[in-house]
């Protein structure tokens, strides 16, 4: 299943084909090894309060979310082979193509909403 991610505070669509990683294996693998992350794509990792970009080939925008979906910290264009700090208030992380957060005007404190999207090819 894919998810639509909307910045409810700014009324901006951030992704319409975000994947969700919930199992240990899915969370561990995340976006590792992918050559690209197309616009509209994303990865929501739950539970999660820190990430790494080891073995990744692309920079990503990162939003750390609390239990209500509010951004407690965001990182723009986090390059490969880096680690984030631990954000103790974060319960999940949304990874997006680099530039999406800035282009949408998304800021810390904004609330993101996840709704089921259509399956690919539907």
């Amino acid at each position: 299943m894919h998810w639509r991610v909307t910045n409810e505070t700014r009324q901006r669509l951030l992704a319409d084909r975000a994947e969700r990683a919930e199992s240990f294996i899915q969370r561990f693998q995340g976006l590792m090894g992918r050559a690209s992350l197309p616009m509209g794509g994303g990865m929501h990792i739950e539970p999660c309060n820190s990430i790494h970009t080891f073995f990744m080939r692309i920079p990503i925008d990162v939003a750390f979310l609390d239990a209500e979906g509010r951004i407690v910290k965001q990182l723009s264009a986090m390059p490969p082979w880096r680690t984030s700090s631990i954000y103790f208030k974060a319960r999940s992380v949304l990874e997006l193509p680099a530039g999406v957060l800035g282009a949408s005007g998304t800021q810390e404190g904004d609330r993101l909403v996840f709704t089921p999207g259509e399956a690919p090819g539907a």
Side-chain angles (χ1 to χ4, degrees):
M1 172 179 282
H2 285 80
W3 297 84
R4 291 178 58 84
V5 185
T6 305
N7 181 329
E8 182 180 67
T9 306
R10 309 207 180 273
Q11 296 298 305
R12 298 285 174 99
L13 180 66
L14 301 180
D16 60 0
R17 294 179 314 282
E19 301 169 52
R20 183 165 279 166
E22 297 175 304
S23 74
F24 174 79
I25 296 296
Q26 290 170 332
R27 290 191 320 265
F28 177 77
Q29 184 173 5
L31 296 172
M32 285 192 301
R34 295 194 190 186
S36 67
L37 180 60
M39 287 298 166
M43 176 72 68
H44 184 224
I45 304 170
E46 185 175 26
C48 186
N49 64 3
S50 70
I51 65 163
H52 69 81
T53 56
F54 299 144
F55 305 104
M56 290 180 60
R57 302 184 213 175
I58 53 172
I60 55 172
D61 282 358
V62 183
F64 292 88
L65 310 173
D66 68 11
E68 286 76 42
R70 294 208 182 277
I71 300 174
V72 297
K73 180 66 178 178
Q74 71 182 36
L75 306 171
S76 297
M78 184 174 175
W81 296 97
R82 300 292 194 283
T83 59
S84 74
S85 296
I86 297 172
Y87 299 100
F88 292 103
K89 292 182 180 180
R91 296 293 174 261
S92 68
V93 172
L94 177 64
E95 300 176 341
L96 296 164
V100 169
L101 294 177
S104 65
T106 298
Q107 298 178 14
E108 292 173 14
D110 288 0
R111 183 169 184 269
L112 306 188
V113 175
F114 295 78
T115 54
E118 291 185 21

